[in-house]
Structures are given as structure tokens and as C-alpha cells.
Amino acid sequence: MKKQIPNIKEMTLREKINQTIVIKMKKEEKADFAPGAAFFFGEIITEADEAGLDELRGYVKELADICDIPPLITSDFENGCGSMVKSLTPLPYMMGLGATNDAQTAYDYGKVTAIEALSIGANWTFSPVSDLNRNSRNPLINNRGLTDDTSLAVKMLPQIVKGMQDNGLSACAKHFPGDGMDYRDQHITTTYNDCELDDWRATYGKVFSEMINAGVDSVMAGHIGLPAYTKEISERFKMPLPATLSKELITDLLKGEMGFDGIVVTDALGMGGFAGWYPTNTQAEIESFKAGCDMMLWPTKEYADALEAAILSGDVPMSRLDDAVTRILRVKEKRGLFDPDRKLFREISEEEVSFIKSFQKRCSEKGITLVRNRLDHFPLDVNKTKKIGIVVISEYKPALEEAKALKTEFEARGFEVDYNETGKISEQEAKRIFDENDIVIYATFSRPFRPVGFIDYTAERAMRLRTSYSQPNYVDKLAVVSFGSPYFGDQYFEKAQTYVNAYSMLECSVKAFVRAACGEIDFEGVSPVKLNVYDK
């Protein structure tokens, strides 16, 4: 690998073009050229990578060895590295962090992510999610986002970026111009931020501006339009273009008005929100590059040839390519990729291992939010509330493994637990659960992409919810905890007298909830999103 930043004037055309490509690195495939970056490990819409750390480092080293210019190695480390690599540490989802309302916790969130990412050779993360979840029906952001409140976002998000970048990990603010307004998912179709322009500037625009002021290395362009700003209309569909195809949004607004001088990377180019705007995806990729996007996330195999032809024909000016490559190399230099003494993998000290473990526990506990406790169910007293019925509800079967910690943790404290995680509960079974237990805890587990679609309960899970209200003693005995969407208290459990938001379907959050429910710690969390007025 080169030990100093290359002179852009000495790079070949193909070397420059390759710098704009983010490949999807797979363990079973070897790269056949030297890309500017590689997306590795798990991704947010799939499962975490289960390979061992040495094996994963081996694949990173193989790629590094073929690259004269060191590549950026990236993944969706949205809630710590454990969400992408199972042997590393998952952190509470971003909304759980938002509930801590603490800037130092936000900084440490970024720091922990950076320490573990660099240990496996990653130097770039597609996080933090910087959207405002202003639509409770949005299926893409929900608890992946920090908050719906601009003031909380600008307090916390820049601290996450600093925690990452102070410790060597390039951060990425996503998804410009801001998700969380639409009720649709840009993985499936193009979505829109329908804010009026003054409102956008005071909310989403302010958040991204503060991220830029904090020095964020990159911004991810979403397949999201901003009709209040743009005049560009697709001739084919008579609709506003998404940011990934909009010169107005990327070159004029983000790079021009807002002064962003880092890397603009597209969201994944195979998503439904990007598809169909042009006759071929390759043509759309060239238009995206012309619009101002500097790096293409998983472009087609024809992209490099097509961009070369477009530059040679004059359709894409060389100045556009040089601007993109300059931005990419500048970030690589800033993060020390050309340092002659740089080590590919960062060692984690015993002190840091202890810090990471304690931080996971601290962050999990600090965000647990007691929304309602009208009957003083919590804290539980094992001498008064001996028998606990637990009904687990999830559309995502792997979450049921995390849920089992509810049973083991309560039993370890002397409670008798009647644990239920099967399908539809009959009226008779629901009556038995409520009759035979002193308190019945309905535990919901959810997050975006688990499964893909709206964050709702259907079929047997939906019927489980209904049966809770069919019992005459549900008012006195029912308590609800959501390990996921913060809105389930409004959506399904408005009549529940006891309701807790724990935000994350992770074992660390399950354990934190039990500790708070048993009075071992306080419920410190403050809701980072607006909930029903009846919760006041």
C-alpha cells in the first residue's frame, strides 16, 4: 500500500474511477480490482456475521494487500459493532441512547464503536442515523433513530461523531435530506420528506448542519426527495427526484449552501427507491455521480466502464471526478490510512474491554423509560408479587432467544415465572394466565427490517394483543414493556396502566429492564419522542 497520499494528477482514469466504488465484500469472493472502499461484515437488513474475528481480519487483509491506495472498510455499525459481528458488542439502539439524554453517553457510544471497529480493520461506519422520526408510522427509522426532537438530536448526534472520529473511525450522517417523515420505506420505493422549507431548515437541515460543523467525514444521500427545495422533476414520472439523483440537493444544497466538503456516498443502489428512474440502473448511477454523489454503494458491474465512457465523451466533466477523488483521499489521509506506521488492526487493551462492557450496561440501564406506573406496579416486591406471567410477542423469531432472559433474570430473583412465547393465545389460556399470576407482563420485541415492512403485529401476534383486554382483571394486573418501537403503548396498549419503553430487543436491555422493574436501579430514561397525551 502507498505510504503517502497519491498525487491525483498522476493517477490513471481507471484508478480514479475505482476510488468512487464501494464494493460488497463477501467472504466467498475475492475482489478483482482495487476499490475505494468495501462494505464488509453484516448489514442492517440482514444478520450479523458469525465468522470468528481472525477469519474476518484475514479477509480484510486480503483486500488491503491488493490495494495500492488503502481502502475504506465499512459496515452498518449503527448500534455498536455487535450488530454486524456477533462476537463483538451490541449497544442499545439509537432511540435507547436518545432516552439517556446525556451528551457524554453519546460520545462514549461513538468511542466504543470506534474501538471495536478498528480492531477488525474497519475504518468507516455508515452511522449515526441522523434522521428525525417525526412519523410514528415510518417503517424504516423508528428506534434506529435517536429522537423526533431537533434540540435533542443536535445535542447528542455531534457527540457520537466526535466519539467515533476522535478514535479513528470515520462517521457518516444518514440519510440526507432526512428520513422519518414518510410512512414508506426507501428500500421498497422512493420516499419523500414533505416538510415545508422553513420547517426543514429548522429541523432536518439544522441537524445535518450541526453534523457538518462537527466535522463528520461523510454524508449518505438517501433515495428521498425534498419537494419544497427542488424544482427538478422526472420527465418519465412527473415526480421530484430523490437526493441520490438530484444535483439541486447534493451539489447545490448539501455541498453548496451547507458547505459540506467530505464524502457524499449513496445509499445502496439496488434499493427500490433508486430503481426505475432511468432505463437502466447503470445509467442512473452515472446520473447520480453527475448530481454530486462521490461514492457509489454497490453499483452495477457496468458502472466503471460507463463512467469512463461518460468522461471520455465529455458527458461527465473530469473536474467532477477529480472533486470526488479529492474528497475521498482527503478523508483517507485524515484517518491516517497513509501513515507509514499504521497497523491494519488496532489492539484492544484489557482496560478498554472493561470500559466497553461497563458502558453497554450503563447505556442500557440509563435509557429504560417508565412511561406509566399508575398502579405502582414497579418496583416489584417478590414478597408481594410472587408470580409473574410473561407473554412474549414478536414477529421476528430470533428475538425470542433474547426474550428468554426475562424468565431467567426474574427467576434468579426468586419470582415464579409463567413464561409464554407460543402463537395465538386462546381466551381460555389468557384467562388462566391472568387468574394464576399476580402480574402479567406483555413483552413486545420489534425493530425495522425484522421483518421487512411496517412495524405492526399481524395474525397470531395481533390476536395475542387483543386477548389481554378480554380479561376482567387486566386493568389491575397488566404491565407492558416494549423492547422496540416506543409507540406500541399508543398503538396497542393505551389502556395499560403500566407501560415501559426499553427500545432494544437485546439481552443487555432485557436485563436492564428487570433490574429497574425490581428496584435495583432507577428508571432514568426520558422519552425521546412524543407519545400520547394520556401519558402525561
Side-chain angles (χ1 to χ4, degrees), residues 237-432:
F237 304 114
K238 312 305 180 188
M239 294 162 57
L241 293 168
T244 38
L245 293 167
S246 171
K247 182 177 181 293
E248 286 179 298
L249 290 178
I250 301 303
T251 298
D252 299 345
L253 178 56
L254 179 59
K255 292 182 172 180
E257 285 186 39
M258 300 174 75
F260 179 61
D261 64 359
I263 298 169
V264 178
V265 61
T266 68
D267 207 337
L269 296 174
M271 291 165 60
F274 188 75
W277 287 98
Y278 291 89
T280 68
N281 261 23
T282 302
Q283 183 181 346
E285 289 160 2
I286 303 306
E287 294 300 324
S288 179
F289 189 77
K290 288 168 65 176
C293 294
D294 304 305
M295 298 190 84
M296 303 289 119
L297 180 58
W298 311 336
T300 59
K301 291 182 178 179
E302 295 76 23
Y303 162 76
D305 287 341
L307 181 55
E308 182 173 340
I311 290 171
L312 293 175
S313 71
D315 182 43
V316 176
M318 182 63 78
S319 59
R320 169 77 274 268
L321 180 60
D322 285 348
D323 171 61
V325 175
T326 298
R327 289 166 179 264
I328 295 162
L329 295 180
R330 188 162 57 217
V331 168
K332 291 184 176 185
E333 182 181 33
K334 188 192 301 184
R335 294 298 148 224
L337 270 62
F338 300 104
D339 185 342
D341 298 322
R342 171 181 174 248
K343 294 181 178 179
L344 197 56
F345 309 107
R346 181 192 185 283
E347 295 294 327
I348 302 180
S349 68
E350 290 185 10
E351 182 181 357
E352 287 171 333
V353 170
S354 178
F355 169 71
I356 291 168
K357 184 177 180 179
S358 65
F359 175 77
Q360 183 199 49
K361 182 174 182 289
R362 170 164 55 93
C363 186
S364 301
E365 292 178 346
K366 196 172 179 63
I368 304 295
T369 306
L370 183 60
V371 179
R372 304 179 211 130
N373 194 29
R374 297 170 184 154
L375 301 181
D376 294 323
H377 277 145
F378 298 138
L380 297 171
D381 184 340
V382 71
N383 295 313
K384 298 178 180 178
T385 311
K386 183 70 174 177
K387 296 182 178 181
I388 300 177
I390 295 178
V391 178
V392 176
I393 308 164
S394 181
E395 296 280 0
Y396 181 60
K397 290 183 179 179
L400 300 179
E401 291 304 309
E402 309 286 357
K404 286 182 171 62
L406 283 168
K407 183 176 189 294
T408 57
E409 291 295 312
F410 277 121
E411 286 181 339
R413 288 161 173 80
F415 293 94
E416 296 178 19
V417 178
D418 180 358
Y419 191 75
N420 302 266
E421 65 171 34
T422 54
K424 177 182 175 182
I425 295 179
S426 67
E427 294 287 343
Q428 184 176 4
E429 177 64 5
K431 183 177 187 303
R432 183 199 67 76

Side-chain angles (χ1 to χ4, degrees), residues 4 81 172 187 291-292 350 360 410 473 492 495:
Q4 60 183 14
C81 295
C172 181
H187 288 84
E350 290 185 10
Q360 183 199 49
F410 277 121
N473 53 0
Y492 298 116
K495 300 184 185 75

Side-chain angles (χ1 to χ4, degrees), residues 174-188:
K174 66 181 185 185
H175 312 77
F176 187 82
D179 208 334
M181 289 292 291
D182 208 323
Y183 65 93
R184 297 168 297 177
D185 181 347
Q186 56 174 309
H187 288 84
I188 300 170

Side-chain angles (χ1 to χ4, degrees), residues 455-520:
I455 307 175
D456 293 332
Y457 287 113
T458 59
E460 293 178 346
R461 269 70 60 186
M463 291 303 293
R464 279 189 157 211
L465 299 172
R466 186 191 67 78
T467 54
S468 70
Y469 294 128
S470 66
Q471 309 310 312
N473 53 0
Y474 81 89
V475 172
D476 297 326
K477 290 189 175 183
L478 178 64
V480 179
V481 54
S482 173
F483 295 100
S485 174
Y487 305 109
F488 282 170
D490 296 346
Q491 189 173 352
Y492 298 116
F493 292 105
E494 276 191 314
K495 300 184 185 75
Q497 302 292 299
T498 306
Y499 180 77
V500 174
N501 273 327
Y503 307 103
S504 306
M505 57 180 193
L506 299 170
E507 185 175 332
C508 58
S509 295
V510 173
K511 290 181 176 180
F513 161 71
V514 174
R515 286 192 287 270
C518 293
E520 296 165 17

